[in-house]
């Protein structure tokens, strides 16, 4: 599989839901494979390299949590897993997270939210795998959660680093406010001013390092990382 666009494995036995998810992600230009059983999911996950696996909790041949755990143990890399379920009880979510799931989405769901969560997981996974990321004058070290501009360390908060990492991964594309908010706070974001405050602090840190990298506001969308005079 090529790596220009997100590669997603959709593990869902319900034919209508599977078709809707695959068609929607295909429409975004993503690369998608589909598995209707846990056995096929495990085979594909250990053979191919996916950015995200969307995994249904209830499969005809296996428990989704067991499949999740097996993928985490056998896949060639720590691929992020988004678990789907019709159950909304805390105990079911806790069981999924304890089994290795990285995120959780309850049916019925908005396909746009599914794509949003997959994007966030894919970006997080790529930075985790590479451990470092260089974009123009910026260098980000994932393990230490440190960043520098032209070698000068940036004074970033934990949230500031996560925002910068998302913008650097997406460069030169913009990242929506919704995607940034979900990355920071999941499904329960605080008031709208919280994200603005973190972006403001990040801008100040970049300015203090010489301004070679800037955060540009894109009207009615979100933010973009700009390098130099671009």
């Amino acid at each position: 599989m090529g790596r220009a666009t997100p590669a997603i494995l959709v593990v869902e036995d319900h034919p209508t839901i599977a078709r809707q998810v695959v068609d929607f992600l295909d429409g975004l230009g993503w690369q998608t494979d589909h598995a209707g059983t846990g056995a096929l999911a495990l085979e594909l996950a250990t053979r191919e390299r996916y950015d995200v696996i969307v995994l249904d909790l209830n499969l005809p041949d296996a428990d989704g949590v067991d499949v999740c755990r097996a993928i985490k143990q056998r896949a060639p890399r720590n691929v992020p897993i988004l678990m789907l379920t019709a159950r909304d009880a805390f105990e079911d979510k806790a069981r999924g997270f304890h089994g290795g799931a990285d995120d959780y989405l309850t049916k019925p769901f908005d396909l746009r939210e599914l794509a949003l969560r997959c994007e966030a997981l894919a970006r997080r996974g790529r930075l985790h795998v590479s451990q470092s990321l260089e974009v123009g004058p910026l260098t980000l070290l994932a393990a230490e959660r440190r960043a520098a501009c032209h070698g000068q360390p940036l004074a970033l908060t934990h949230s500031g680093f996560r925002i910068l990492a998302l913008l650097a991964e997406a460069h030169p594309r913009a990242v929506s406010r919704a995607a940034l908010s979900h990355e920071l706070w999941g499904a329960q974001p605080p008031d709208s001013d919280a994200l603005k405050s973190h972006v403001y602090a990040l801008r100040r840190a970049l300015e203090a390092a010489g301004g070679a990298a800037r955060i540009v506001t894109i009207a009615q969308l979100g933010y973009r990382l700009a390098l130099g005079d671009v």
Side-chain angles (χ1 to χ4, degrees), residues 100-209:
D102 297 274
D103 200 359
Y104 214 100
L105 193 57
T106 304
K107 299 176 182 178
F109 51 83
D110 189 317
L111 289 169
R112 294 170 298 179
E113 181 179 0
L114 173 70
L116 187 70
R117 290 173 182 258
C118 285
E119 279 188 308
L121 288 173
R123 283 191 292 264
R124 189 187 313 163
R126 285 194 292 269
L127 181 56
H128 175 77
V129 168
S130 64
Q131 291 299 307
S132 66
L133 177 66
E134 293 188 6
V135 181
L138 291 173
T139 301
L140 286 80
L141 302 176
E144 296 90 347
R145 291 195 174 275
R146 292 189 293 108
C149 185
H150 284 309
Q152 179 178 340
L154 298 174
L156 300 179
T157 63
H158 177 76
S159 295
F161 178 87
R162 293 171 72 183
I163 293 172
L164 183 60
L166 285 173
L167 295 175
E169 278 283 354
H171 179 75
R173 296 179 293 106
V175 179
S176 69
R177 292 180 180 85
L180 291 171
S181 180
H182 182 267
E183 173 66 18
L184 292 175
W185 301 293
Q188 296 182 324
D191 62 85
S192 59
D193 288 337
L195 178 59
K196 292 180 182 178
S197 297
H198 286 301
V199 171
Y200 175 77
L202 176 57
R203 281 174 166 153
R204 293 290 299 271
L206 291 171
E207 289 171 2

